[in-house]
Amino acid sequence: MKDFHINTEIFFGENALDRLAALRFDAAIIIADPFVVTSGMITLLTTRLDKAHIHYELFTDVVPDPPVEKVIAGVAAVMKTKPPCIIGVGGGSAIDTAKAIKKFAGQFDEKYTPHLIAIPTTSGTGSEVTRFAVISNPAEGRKYPLVDEELLPDEAILDEVLVKSVPASVTADTGMDVMTHAIEAYVSTENNEFSGALAEKAVEISGQFLIRSYSSCDDTHARRKMHIASCLAGLAFNSASLGLNHGMAHQLGARFHIPHGRANAILLPYIIEFNSGVTLAGRSQKEYPSCVRKYCNLARILGVSNMNEVTTIRALISYLHFLNAEMGIPSKVSEACPKLTETEYLAALDDMATAALADGCTSTNPRTPSKEEVIEIFKKIW
């Protein structure tokens, strides 16, 4: 038996942040990216909390790929006053930090069950509606995906005013993260009709509005659409999980600090080649795996379907390469990390492949990879 449920109440559209003025809590702690504060964006939240007479404190010791020690510091800050509401605002790292803080604070005091609100300022991670969070251990060069129903936010607020100022490069990276989330959820071994419908819509919206959103921060309609697409893709993979693309991207981020969405974007065409068995130069085969039909359906949604399954998969792969190039995303790791030498990269592949195979996302990939195959993909993207 399967089940599909959405535990997070979602507020979206124009003036969605007004939801904060309707909260019925006497206190809250805001877990925020430092930029949210220094840019003045935080006032969009605090003015509404003031209106609701909610006392608030700020915790801004948030960094990309939140390390364990930052989460511990956040737990300590929360446990001082145990506010009834935790608000995570920022990119995926800030929201993941808030989710992890809530989870571990609850382990110190089982009676402490704060209301968690997630407010994303980028359109990519979908963390505001998922039971996933990623924390890192810099000493080991590893990322650890956490998966727990307790990580699900109670509310998500999607307001495009928070993403209008996002730089074009970040819009590109996070937008391709949305595309990767949706595609991986769609072909996951745990996919279902509900997750599939959400993934299809996320791909459709991204195909229509990602380039527009990248091209102009003033295109409010496109920014709003991508914000919603990110959430839809998050709902899809919260139900169906992800795949090898993320299992490998986590290693590129942990080892070489490549932004997560960029790592996903670099890998995505090659992962589709691997999963489908269709390459741009290879000859046709008599049989292809079942995920080929799903990739073809997504190609149709994106408007790049072709004569048959093989040419359609090739068109989809070419389209993804085009998207990356159009938005200035590096096509190879060597371009993303110009100071990294090939010798250093190759020396890390064995450990990275082992970690990718152990990553929780990889287990639902439509094709089970061997260590040698993962290493070969890592070599292809150098």
Side-chain angles (χ1 to χ4, degrees):
M1 181 177 67
K2 295 184 178 182
D3 74 285
F4 180 86
H5 58 279
I6 301 175
N7 286 2
T8 305
E9 189 172 8
I10 302 168
F11 298 86
F12 64 100
E14 192 173 358
N15 297 318
L17 282 171
D18 286 349
R19 165 59 186 163
L20 294 174
L23 295 175
R24 295 293 180 262
F25 301 107
D26 59 1
I29 186 168
I30 302 173
I31 313 295
D33 281 342
F35 177 76
V36 172
V37 177
T38 58
S39 67
M41 196 184 300
I42 193 70
T43 60
L44 295 171
L45 282 68
T46 57
T47 54
R48 289 167 167 90
L49 294 177
D50 288 336
K51 185 176 180 180
H53 305 290
I54 298 173
H55 172 75
Y56 57 85
E57 296 179 359
L58 287 175
F59 178 84
T60 61
D61 194 7
V62 175
V63 297
D65 302 325
V68 175
E69 58 265 26
K70 299 296 184 183
V71 174
I72 293 172
V75 171
V78 166
M79 294 304 289
K80 287 180 181 178
T81 58
K82 297 181 182 178
C85 181
I86 297 176
I87 301 172
V89 55
S93 294
I95 294 175
D96 279 2
T97 299
K99 291 160 72 170
I101 287 172
K102 177 191 174 181
K103 173 178 171 58
F104 293 122
Q107 292 182 351
F108 279 99
D109 183 352
E110 293 182 357
K111 294 181 180 179
Y112 180 53
T113 56
H115 192 79
L116 178 59
I117 301 174
I119 307 176
T121 59
T122 60
S123 305
T125 69
S127 184
E128 69 274 8
V129 289
T130 73
R131 67 186 191 280
F132 297 85
V134 178
I135 60 175
S136 66
N137 186 332
E140 296 181 1
R142 294 283 298 275
K143 284 188 177 184
Y144 296 97
L146 305 177
V147 185
D148 197 312
E149 291 292 317
E150 293 180 11
L151 294 171
L152 275 167
D154 298 288
E155 297 183 25
I157 299 176
L158 310 178
D159 196 319
E160 66 273 6
V161 71
L162 296 175
V163 297
K164 284 188 68 176
S165 61
V166 172
S169 61
V170 177
T171 300
D173 290 345
T174 55
M176 288 306 294
D177 202 15
V178 174
M179 189 72 83
T180 307
H181 287 157
I183 292 175
E184 284 215 287
Y186 197 65
V187 301
S188 162
T189 57
E190 292 296 316
N191 76 87
N192 57 71
E193 289 83 355
F194 297 95
S195 66
L198 292 163
E200 286 180 359
K201 192 63 179 178
V203 168
E204 177 189 329
I205 293 173
S206 298
Q208 293 178 0
F209 293 102
L210 176 52
I211 292 292
R212 275 181 53 178
S213 184
Y214 166 80
S215 300
S216 173
C217 62
D218 294 323
D219 192 335
T220 302
H221 183 64
R223 295 266 170 160
R224 178 185 300 159
K225 288 291 190 179
M226 285 306 301
H227 216 32
I228 291 172
S230 174
C231 187
L232 292 172
L235 290 170
F237 84 76
N238 188 58
S239 173
S241 192
L242 294 161
L244 178 61
N245 208 115
H246 271 74
M248 295 178 66
H250 288 154
Q251 315 318 314
L252 293 173
R255 286 274 184 157
F256 309 121
H257 308 293
I258 299 175
H260 178 65
R262 188 171 303 176
N264 273 328
I266 293 171
L267 280 161
L268 186 56
Y270 298 92
I271 297 298
I272 293 176
E273 280 189 354
F274 171 75
N275 287 340
S276 66
V278 176
T279 66
L280 293 180
R283 297 179 61 182
S284 298
Q285 303 172 22
K286 290 183 178 180
E287 287 188 34
Y288 287 95
S290 59
C291 64
V292 165
R293 175 182 54 81
K294 293 185 177 181
Y295 284 133
C296 287
N297 192 44
L298 295 180
R300 179 188 58 79
I301 291 171
L302 289 167
V304 295
S305 58
N306 213 300
M307 295 182 296
N308 55 43
E309 289 183 335
V310 173
T311 56
T312 294
I313 295 293
R314 288 174 177 168
L316 175 61
I317 292 169
S318 295
Y319 171 77
L320 294 171
H321 280 302
F322 161 79
L323 269 185
N324 287 342
E326 194 73 1
M327 296 187 293
I329 295 175
S331 62
K332 300 285 186 176
V333 171
S334 56
E335 297 173 26
C337 303
K339 294 182 179 180
L340 179 67
T341 68
E342 185 175 8
T343 300
E344 292 171 328
Y345 180 72
L346 293 177
L349 295 193
D350 191 81
D351 287 344
M352 288 171 61
T354 298
L357 290 172
D359 190 290
C361 296
T362 302
S363 62
T364 49
N365 195 66
R367 178 179 172 185
T368 302
S370 67
K371 184 175 179 178
E372 291 72 23
E373 288 170 331
V374 174
I375 289 174
E376 186 60 30
I377 297 171
F378 273 132
K379 288 180 178 178
K380 285 182 178 180
I381 64 171
W382 165 248

